[in-house]
Amino acid sequence: MSKTAQNTDSLPSHLFRQAVEQAAQAISITDARANILYANSAFARITGYGQDEIVGHNESILSYRVTPKLVYETLWAQIQRQRPWNGLLVNKRKDGSRYLADVTITPVVSEEGETAFYLGMQRDVTEVHRLERQVQNQKTLIESVVDAAQVAIVLLDENERVLLDNHEYKKLIGDLGKEPAVRLLAALREQLGDVWQEACDKHRNLPAREVSIVAPNRPVRWFSCSVSWFEEHDVGADAFYEPMRRHYLLLTIQDIGELKRQQEAIRINGLRALLAEQERVQGLRETLAGAVYRLEEPFNVLSAVAGLLERRLSTQGADGVPVQALEEALRNSREALDTLRACIPEHADEAVQTIDLNETLADVLKLATPQLLGAGIVVEWLPSDKPATVSGHAAQLANLFKQIIDNAVEAVNERRGGKRELRVTCRVHPDHVEACVEDSGPGIAAELRYKVFQPFFTTKGAAKNHLGLGLAMAQEAATRHGGSIDIDPDYRIGCRMRVQLPMTNGGSHD
Ligand code: FAD
């Protein structure tokens, strides 16, 4: 006799019956054909059949006839091999209502190895199933809403492992390779520094931030990313009495490349309009100043002549009428000159700021792109590896380089045949920044190297609408910024314009 049997022998025999009778779970005992021989009170409670009513009936009385036949075949195949079976069956109570039963059937094997009885135990799991289905439905609903969203959404655990993502995020993986979320989080971490660390430590949400991803040989991609945290109670058994929380990070990613392109186009167009206006005003200033300068010369001669005439006439005692008339004419001319001088527009009042010449040059090249493409000019742009910071007026400096680059494009266009190249470089020296614009045009003759910076000097002639003010204005801007502009005499395969400006030292150069 086994040890267990020995132990139970000491228990009163009615104890087993009472235990089964009072068990909270529905229990039934059947013969080998599933005819019910015994059912406990919990069985009666679940099925609605009184204990006396059910005895003698087959268990199939409970079948609602929707459970697939295969389930019953499996059930019987299993228990006939003297193995317990467990599964879900759709049952019908005495009143016709249905419930989902979690049924376990255990063959009761005799000492001879025969199965004469089966022990059936069942629980009504309708409510559990309803809740499970509800959760499943909600999950499906959430997943389909998330999937339909026009922004990429990705859920990560605290180790930045992706747990859930949506259709838009999968498209991002296609574009950027794996794993865009991790790359964007790294970019956010670098951009935000301590703010990011604090947000992670305190699980604080972060509003949308603009982040860029740079991939080799690919254009920069811009995204707007926002981070929200939420916590979940651990569902493991360990955490049943001692709740543990897990934090998850929800990253929402919106591709703002198009928006950035539009913003950039607006910025460049604004710059183009500003430079055009500045060029117009500066041209007007230079023209009026030039005109005043030119008129002053004959005016001074006339003044001298009038003085001479006056002296002569007075010594000869002659009539002073012609002199008076001349003086009248001179007074009128002086007034006209003063009026003209007053019309010279002032320099635009532009704030002094720290400027990276690399950005200025890149902007000016962008402005010149249509001309460069139209002329089929190959551009080589070599920015400095460090920021080329100078202090000054952004629009004036942009205009300075625009004049030089416009001249370089025209020079290349002048040359028939040969290379059509433009090379723009920016270098940072210990105390100054040097920007060079080299073109493959005809170059500038040695005797003209200084003249070209004089107002109204032009090699192109008025027929081409050239006033000869471009380089004069560029030089004026360089001087106003404490720098210089010159033509490299050693450059012989075209023209190399060199602009040198002091490194950032703040203050105005006005
Ligand atoms: P069928 O599967 O077509 O068979 C009709 C009857 O023939 C069966 O009820 C059974 O008495 C007998 N039978 C069928 N196959 C075999 C076989 N291979 N060997 C011996 N006899 C067989 N069903 C439920 O729907 N709900 C329950 O809660 C439920 N509880 C059960 C509890 C126990 C302990 C056992 C042994 C069976 C239980 N069954 C239950 C199964 C039930 O006996 C039927 O098999 C099932 O209801 C299918 O009904 P049916 O009329 O289509 O029967």
Side-chain angles (χ1 to χ4, degrees), residues 30 32-34 58-60 62-63 65 72 76 79-80 89 91 105 118 120 122:
T30 71
R33 298 189 66 82
N58 193 280
E59 293 275 5
S60 64
L62 298 174
S63 172
R65 308 278 162 205
Y72 293 121
W76 280 104
I79 60 177
Q80 281 183 334
L89 300 173
N91 275 357
I105 302 173
Y118 291 110
Q122 58 171 274

mmCIF file of all heavy atoms in Angstrom, residues 30 32-34 58-60 62-63 65 72 76 79-80 89 91 105 118 120 122, ligand 1:
data_model
loop_
_atom_site.group_PDB
_atom_site.id
_atom_site.type_symbol
_atom_site.label_atom_id
_atom_site.label_comp_id
_atom_site.label_asym_id
_atom_site.label_seq_id
_atom_site.Cartn_x
_atom_site.Cartn_y
_atom_site.Cartn_z
ATOM 1 N N THR A 30 -19.026 10.407 -13.644
ATOM 2 C CA THR A 30 -19.847 9.710 -14.653
ATOM 3 C C THR A 30 -19.333 8.286 -14.804
ATOM 4 O O THR A 30 -18.240 7.947 -14.334
ATOM 5 C CB THR A 30 -19.757 10.394 -16.032
ATOM 6 O OG1 THR A 30 -18.446 10.137 -16.564
ATOM 7 C CG2 THR A 30 -19.998 11.878 -15.941
ATOM 8 N N ALA A 32 -18.431 5.209 -17.701
ATOM 9 C CA ALA A 32 -17.512 5.231 -18.851
ATOM 10 C C ALA A 32 -18.149 5.852 -20.088
ATOM 11 O O ALA A 32 -17.465 6.194 -21.043
ATOM 12 C CB ALA A 32 -17.027 3.825 -19.156
ATOM 13 N N ARG A 33 -19.486 6.054 -20.107
ATOM 14 C CA ARG A 33 -20.157 6.646 -21.273
ATOM 15 C C ARG A 33 -20.659 8.062 -20.982
ATOM 16 O O ARG A 33 -21.536 8.577 -21.657
ATOM 17 C CB ARG A 33 -21.312 5.749 -21.725
ATOM 18 C CG ARG A 33 -20.841 4.356 -22.166
ATOM 19 C CD ARG A 33 -21.943 3.571 -22.814
ATOM 20 N NE ARG A 33 -22.372 4.152 -24.075
ATOM 21 C CZ ARG A 33 -21.741 3.952 -25.233
ATOM 22 N NH1 ARG A 33 -20.661 3.197 -25.250
ATOM 23 N NH2 ARG A 33 -22.195 4.502 -26.336
ATOM 24 N N ALA A 34 -20.152 8.615 -19.905
ATOM 25 C CA ALA A 34 -20.448 10.009 -19.518
ATOM 26 C C ALA A 34 -21.849 10.188 -18.941
ATOM 27 O O ALA A 34 -22.384 11.310 -18.934
ATOM 28 C CB ALA A 34 -20.197 10.967 -20.679
ATOM 29 N N ASN A 58 -26.911 12.089 -19.447
ATOM 30 C CA ASN A 58 -25.561 12.144 -20.013
ATOM 31 C C ASN A 58 -25.049 13.582 -19.919
ATOM 32 O O ASN A 58 -25.838 14.527 -19.997
ATOM 33 C CB ASN A 58 -25.587 11.688 -21.470
ATOM 34 C CG ASN A 58 -24.201 11.427 -21.983
ATOM 35 O OD1 ASN A 58 -23.468 12.359 -22.342
ATOM 36 N ND2 ASN A 58 -23.804 10.153 -21.998
ATOM 37 N N GLU A 59 -23.726 13.703 -19.815
ATOM 38 C CA GLU A 59 -23.126 15.057 -19.747
ATOM 39 C C GLU A 59 -23.514 15.875 -20.978
ATOM 40 O O GLU A 59 -23.512 17.095 -20.940
ATOM 41 C CB GLU A 59 -21.595 14.958 -19.646
ATOM 42 C CG GLU A 59 -21.072 14.368 -18.356
ATOM 43 C CD GLU A 59 -20.929 15.376 -17.221
ATOM 44 O OE1 GLU A 59 -21.327 16.536 -17.384
ATOM 45 O OE2 GLU A 59 -20.423 14.986 -16.141
ATOM 46 N N SER A 60 -23.828 15.177 -22.054
ATOM 47 C CA SER A 60 -24.156 15.891 -23.301
ATOM 48 C C SER A 60 -25.413 16.743 -23.154
ATOM 49 O O SER A 60 -25.674 17.580 -24.008
ATOM 50 C CB SER A 60 -24.315 14.895 -24.448
ATOM 51 O OG SER A 60 -25.414 14.049 -24.182
ATOM 52 N N LEU A 62 -25.652 19.043 -21.319
ATOM 53 C CA LEU A 62 -25.164 20.419 -21.147
ATOM 54 C C LEU A 62 -24.705 21.043 -22.469
ATOM 55 O O LEU A 62 -24.489 22.248 -22.555
ATOM 56 C CB LEU A 62 -23.986 20.447 -20.146
ATOM 57 C CG LEU A 62 -24.313 19.977 -18.729
ATOM 58 C CD1 LEU A 62 -23.034 19.921 -17.884
ATOM 59 C CD2 LEU A 62 -25.313 20.910 -18.059
ATOM 60 N N SER A 63 -24.532 20.203 -23.469
ATOM 61 C CA SER A 63 -23.970 20.727 -24.720
ATOM 62 C C SER A 63 -24.934 21.686 -25.412
ATOM 63 O O SER A 63 -26.112 21.387 -25.568
ATOM 64 C CB SER A 63 -23.617 19.564 -25.652
ATOM 65 O OG SER A 63 -23.250 20.090 -26.902
ATOM 66 N N ARG A 65 -24.402 22.541 -28.442
ATOM 67 C CA ARG A 65 -24.297 22.085 -29.834
ATOM 68 C C ARG A 65 -23.603 23.103 -30.754
ATOM 69 O O ARG A 65 -23.868 23.130 -31.940
ATOM 70 C CB ARG A 65 -25.695 21.764 -30.430
ATOM 71 C CG ARG A 65 -26.524 20.833 -29.600
ATOM 72 C CD ARG A 65 -26.154 19.390 -29.835
ATOM 73 N NE ARG A 65 -26.651 18.535 -28.749
ATOM 74 C CZ ARG A 65 -26.111 17.374 -28.425
ATOM 75 N NH1 ARG A 65 -25.066 16.931 -29.082
ATOM 76 N NH2 ARG A 65 -26.593 16.663 -27.443
ATOM 77 N N TYR A 72 -14.937 17.431 -29.153
ATOM 78 C CA TYR A 72 -15.413 16.256 -28.404
ATOM 79 C C TYR A 72 -14.592 15.008 -28.771
ATOM 80 O O TYR A 72 -14.272 14.179 -27.922
ATOM 81 C CB TYR A 72 -16.892 16.004 -28.690
ATOM 82 C CG TYR A 72 -17.792 17.117 -28.147
ATOM 83 C CD1 TYR A 72 -18.626 17.842 -28.993
ATOM 84 C CD2 TYR A 72 -17.795 17.416 -26.793
ATOM 85 C CE1 TYR A 72 -19.444 18.841 -28.491
ATOM 86 C CE2 TYR A 72 -18.611 18.425 -26.284
ATOM 87 C CZ TYR A 72 -19.431 19.135 -27.132
ATOM 88 O OH TYR A 72 -20.233 20.129 -26.634
ATOM 89 N N TRP A 76 -12.614 12.785 -26.085
ATOM 90 C CA TRP A 76 -12.810 11.341 -25.862
ATOM 91 C C TRP A 76 -11.520 10.565 -26.147
ATOM 92 O O TRP A 76 -11.190 9.623 -25.413
ATOM 93 C CB TRP A 76 -13.976 10.816 -26.707
ATOM 94 C CG TRP A 76 -15.311 11.140 -26.043
ATOM 95 C CD1 TRP A 76 -16.186 12.105 -26.397
ATOM 96 C CD2 TRP A 76 -15.835 10.499 -24.887
ATOM 97 N NE1 TRP A 76 -17.254 12.140 -25.543
ATOM 98 C CE2 TRP A 76 -17.072 11.164 -24.593
ATOM 99 C CE3 TRP A 76 -15.430 9.463 -24.051
ATOM 100 C CZ2 TRP A 76 -17.882 10.788 -23.517
ATOM 101 C CZ3 TRP A 76 -16.247 9.098 -22.990
ATOM 102 C CH2 TRP A 76 -17.449 9.764 -22.721
ATOM 103 N N ILE A 79 -9.285 11.065 -23.033
ATOM 104 C CA ILE A 79 -9.654 10.387 -21.761
ATOM 105 C C ILE A 79 -9.655 8.869 -21.934
ATOM 106 O O ILE A 79 -9.417 8.144 -20.979
ATOM 107 C CB ILE A 79 -10.990 10.906 -21.165
ATOM 108 C CG1 ILE A 79 -12.173 10.697 -22.117
ATOM 109 C CG2 ILE A 79 -10.881 12.361 -20.764
ATOM 110 C CD1 ILE A 79 -13.528 11.135 -21.533
ATOM 111 N N GLN A 80 -9.892 8.415 -23.181
ATOM 112 C CA GLN A 80 -9.859 6.963 -23.375
ATOM 113 C C GLN A 80 -8.439 6.426 -23.309
ATOM 114 O O GLN A 80 -8.243 5.241 -23.085
ATOM 115 C CB GLN A 80 -10.531 6.601 -24.697
ATOM 116 C CG GLN A 80 -12.046 6.642 -24.521
ATOM 117 C CD GLN A 80 -12.800 6.232 -25.758
ATOM 118 O OE1 GLN A 80 -12.289 6.369 -26.868
ATOM 119 N NE2 GLN A 80 -13.997 5.722 -25.576
ATOM 120 N N LEU A 89 -15.835 24.466 -23.265
ATOM 121 C CA LEU A 89 -17.037 23.974 -23.944
ATOM 122 C C LEU A 89 -18.166 24.987 -23.750
ATOM 123 O O LEU A 89 -18.271 25.600 -22.677
ATOM 124 C CB LEU A 89 -17.471 22.634 -23.335
ATOM 125 C CG LEU A 89 -16.454 21.482 -23.417
ATOM 126 C CD1 LEU A 89 -16.947 20.271 -22.616
ATOM 127 C CD2 LEU A 89 -16.205 21.072 -24.860
ATOM 128 N N ASN A 91 -21.687 25.545 -22.913
ATOM 129 C CA ASN A 91 -22.737 24.770 -22.241
ATOM 130 C C ASN A 91 -24.031 25.561 -22.139
ATOM 131 O O ASN A 91 -24.020 26.790 -22.189
ATOM 132 C CB ASN A 91 -22.272 24.386 -20.826
ATOM 133 C CG ASN A 91 -21.442 23.100 -20.846
ATOM 134 O OD1 ASN A 91 -21.273 22.486 -21.895
ATOM 135 N ND2 ASN A 91 -20.923 22.714 -19.699
ATOM 136 N N ILE A 105 -11.564 16.893 -17.380
ATOM 137 C CA ILE A 105 -12.099 15.524 -17.193
ATOM 138 C C ILE A 105 -10.925 14.603 -16.886
ATOM 139 O O ILE A 105 -9.930 14.574 -17.620
ATOM 140 C CB ILE A 105 -12.843 15.035 -18.455
ATOM 141 C CG1 ILE A 105 -13.989 16.014 -18.783
ATOM 142 C CG2 ILE A 105 -13.375 13.609 -18.258
ATOM 143 C CD1 ILE A 105 -14.683 15.721 -20.100
ATOM 144 N N TYR A 118 -15.459 8.619 -14.809
ATOM 145 C CA TYR A 118 -14.734 9.865 -15.108
ATOM 146 C C TYR A 118 -15.112 10.904 -14.069
ATOM 147 O O TYR A 118 -16.274 10.954 -13.624
ATOM 148 C CB TYR A 118 -15.097 10.406 -16.494
ATOM 149 C CG TYR A 118 -14.566 9.534 -17.614
ATOM 150 C CD1 TYR A 118 -15.445 8.785 -18.407
ATOM 151 C CD2 TYR A 118 -13.204 9.490 -17.898
ATOM 152 C CE1 TYR A 118 -14.969 7.993 -19.431
ATOM 153 C CE2 TYR A 118 -12.723 8.689 -18.930
ATOM 154 C CZ TYR A 118 -13.600 7.937 -19.690
ATOM 155 O OH TYR A 118 -13.128 7.150 -20.700
ATOM 156 N N GLY A 120 -15.469 14.813 -13.582
ATOM 157 C CA GLY A 120 -15.566 16.073 -14.341
ATOM 158 C C GLY A 120 -15.570 17.262 -13.389
ATOM 159 O O GLY A 120 -16.251 17.259 -12.370
ATOM 160 N N GLN A 122 -15.742 21.580 -13.507
ATOM 161 C CA GLN A 122 -15.897 22.729 -14.420
ATOM 162 C C GLN A 122 -16.123 24.033 -13.671
ATOM 163 O O GLN A 122 -16.594 24.066 -12.540
ATOM 164 C CB GLN A 122 -17.011 22.488 -15.423
ATOM 165 C CG GLN A 122 -18.373 22.212 -14.856
ATOM 166 C CD GLN A 122 -19.410 22.206 -15.991
ATOM 167 O OE1 GLN A 122 -19.911 23.249 -16.346
ATOM 168 N NE2 GLN A 122 -19.692 21.015 -16.530
HETATM 169 P P1 FAD B 1 -21.345 12.546 -28.957
HETATM 170 O O1 FAD B 1 -19.911 12.977 -28.829
HETATM 171 O O2 FAD B 1 -21.860 12.505 -30.371
HETATM 172 O O3 FAD B 1 -21.578 11.200 -28.295
HETATM 173 C C1 FAD B 1 -22.799 10.917 -27.729
HETATM 174 C C2 FAD B 1 -22.493 10.158 -26.447
HETATM 175 O O4 FAD B 1 -21.862 8.950 -26.800
HETATM 176 C C3 FAD B 1 -21.547 10.900 -25.569
HETATM 177 O O5 FAD B 1 -22.195 11.786 -24.718
HETATM 178 C C4 FAD B 1 -20.951 9.755 -24.827
HETATM 179 O O6 FAD B 1 -21.817 9.309 -23.831
HETATM 180 C C5 FAD B 1 -20.876 8.713 -25.861
HETATM 181 N N1 FAD B 1 -19.591 8.684 -26.489
HETATM 182 C C6 FAD B 1 -19.190 9.454 -27.563
HETATM 183 N N2 FAD B 1 -17.955 9.147 -27.907
HETATM 184 C C7 FAD B 1 -17.581 8.189 -27.027
HETATM 185 C C8 FAD B 1 -16.422 7.441 -26.856
HETATM 186 N N3 FAD B 1 -15.371 7.634 -27.700
HETATM 187 N N4 FAD B 1 -16.358 6.522 -25.905
HETATM 188 C C9 FAD B 1 -17.384 6.330 -25.061
HETATM 189 N N5 FAD B 1 -18.534 6.979 -25.192
HETATM 190 C C10 FAD B 1 -18.604 7.906 -26.152
HETATM 191 N N6 FAD B 1 -19.994 17.720 -22.935
HETATM 192 C C11 FAD B 1 -20.488 18.990 -22.900
HETATM 193 O O7 FAD B 1 -20.969 19.498 -23.936
HETATM 194 N N7 FAD B 1 -20.479 19.724 -21.761
HETATM 195 C C12 FAD B 1 -19.975 19.201 -20.600
HETATM 196 O O8 FAD B 1 -19.964 19.916 -19.601
HETATM 197 C C13 FAD B 1 -19.419 17.920 -20.617
HETATM 198 N N8 FAD B 1 -18.901 17.365 -19.501
HETATM 199 C C14 FAD B 1 -18.407 16.091 -19.544
HETATM 200 C C15 FAD B 1 -17.953 15.523 -18.357
HETATM 201 C C16 FAD B 1 -17.449 14.221 -18.378
HETATM 202 C C17 FAD B 1 -16.930 13.603 -17.077
HETATM 203 C C18 FAD B 1 -17.431 13.495 -19.585
HETATM 204 C C19 FAD B 1 -16.896 12.085 -19.580
HETATM 205 C C20 FAD B 1 -17.951 14.012 -20.733
HETATM 206 C C21 FAD B 1 -18.423 15.313 -20.740
HETATM 207 N N9 FAD B 1 -18.947 15.910 -21.901
HETATM 208 C C22 FAD B 1 -19.455 17.167 -21.846
HETATM 209 C C23 FAD B 1 -18.905 15.215 -23.184
HETATM 210 C C24 FAD B 1 -20.231 14.641 -23.542
HETATM 211 O O9 FAD B 1 -20.264 13.348 -22.970
HETATM 212 C C25 FAD B 1 -20.473 14.536 -25.041
HETATM 213 O O10 FAD B 1 -19.446 13.818 -25.641
HETATM 214 C C26 FAD B 1 -20.609 15.852 -25.670
HETATM 215 O O11 FAD B 1 -21.540 16.639 -24.990
HETATM 216 C C27 FAD B 1 -21.071 15.741 -27.104
HETATM 217 O O12 FAD B 1 -22.380 15.430 -27.160
HETATM 218 P P2 FAD B 1 -22.974 14.578 -28.307
HETATM 219 O O13 FAD B 1 -24.425 14.337 -28.043
HETATM 220 O O14 FAD B 1 -22.637 15.287 -29.602
HETATM 221 O O15 FAD B 1 -22.242 13.334 -28.072
#
